[in-house]
Amino acid sequence: MDLVDSLRRHRLLAIVRGKDPVAALRTVRTLVEEGIAAVEISLTTTDALTVIRQARAALGPDALLGAGTVRSAADAGRALDAGASYLVTPAVVDGLAPYGVPVLMGALTPTEIEAALARGADAVKLFPGSLGGPGYLRALRDPFPEVPFVPVGGVDATAAHDYLARGAVAVGVGSPLVGDAADGGDLDQLRARAAEFRAVAAGDTP
């Protein structure tokens, strides 16, 4: 799988984390049904590996299903065994390259960005994006024009539009999109939020 190509095409990565594994799985399936192709299940989700395994079985081998909050090579191994096809980290993490799967590695500062690239990151998760906002991403584009950035953290619909306009290949969206759905919340509201973010990813003004 070419992670960067997928992110460029879809421009949106949904981040699911919650306390109810049944609701988390239902949330993943609903997001995909609503046209959000790339979904990350955070390992902080209750019984996350089971959720990943069941989501993979439900969605099939080609689904863009990743594991998030990967903080070690051991985390990566467990997530991949469960069926994740790419890894997302909150920070610079060693030991992931040998697994041979795409990695969206977390970084914030220029030094961290260089460290992530040196460890084979396919794209850089700009985290927490809320610290600098879209203006910070614009400043990073000058020294790092070739780096695929995916801002994550506090990305609502307006911020998503601004990040994409400033050169992000995609945005990662957690609670502004998922809300309380992964804890058992209303799926109709989730569908409405999914439609809003999908429109932003398509280039419509929020």
Side-chain angles (χ1 to χ4, degrees):
M1 180 187 65
D2 187 326
L3 177 64
V4 175
D5 180 64
S6 297
L7 292 173
R8 288 188 192 281
R9 284 188 288 113
H10 299 291
R11 307 187 84 200
L12 184 61
L13 171 65
I15 302 167
V16 175
R17 62 171 58 86
K19 300 176 182 176
D20 182 338
V22 173
L25 176 61
R26 189 167 58 233
T27 297
V28 173
R29 298 185 66 168
T30 299
L31 288 166
V32 174
E33 289 167 3
E34 294 301 312
I36 297 178
V39 180
E40 163 198 336
I41 298 171
S42 170
L43 294 184
T44 60
T45 296
T46 300
D47 207 4
L49 297 178
T50 297
V51 176
I52 293 171
R53 189 173 294 108
Q54 292 176 341
R56 176 59 68 196
L59 300 175
D62 297 327
L64 300 176
L65 183 66
T69 324
V70 173
R71 297 176 57 196
S72 67
D75 283 346
R78 288 188 289 267
L80 295 172
D81 285 345
S85 55
Y86 60 91
L87 305 170
V88 185
T89 76
V92 175
V93 176
D94 289 315
L96 304 187
Y99 287 105
V101 298
V103 177
L104 175 56
M105 192 168 289
L108 180 63
T109 67
T111 299
E112 291 171 352
I113 292 165
E114 290 287 11
L117 297 173
R119 286 160 176 78
D122 295 85
V124 171
K125 169 183 168 178
L126 191 62
F127 179 78
S130 56
L131 284 182
Y136 182 57
L137 172 62
R138 182 175 57 190
L140 289 172
R141 298 302 300 159
D142 287 336
F144 299 104
E146 79 290 353
V147 175
F149 285 107
V150 181
V152 176
V155 180
D156 60 14
T158 299
H161 175 271
D162 292 344
Y163 279 124
L164 293 171
R166 285 164 174 78
V169 298
V171 290
V173 188
S175 58
L177 167 58
V178 174
D180 63 353
D183 294 322
D186 192 313
L187 292 182
D188 287 337
Q189 293 181 17
L190 174 64
R191 293 186 180 96
R193 293 189 297 269
E196 178 185 18
F197 276 96
R198 205 171 61 246
V200 172
D204 297 338
T205 303

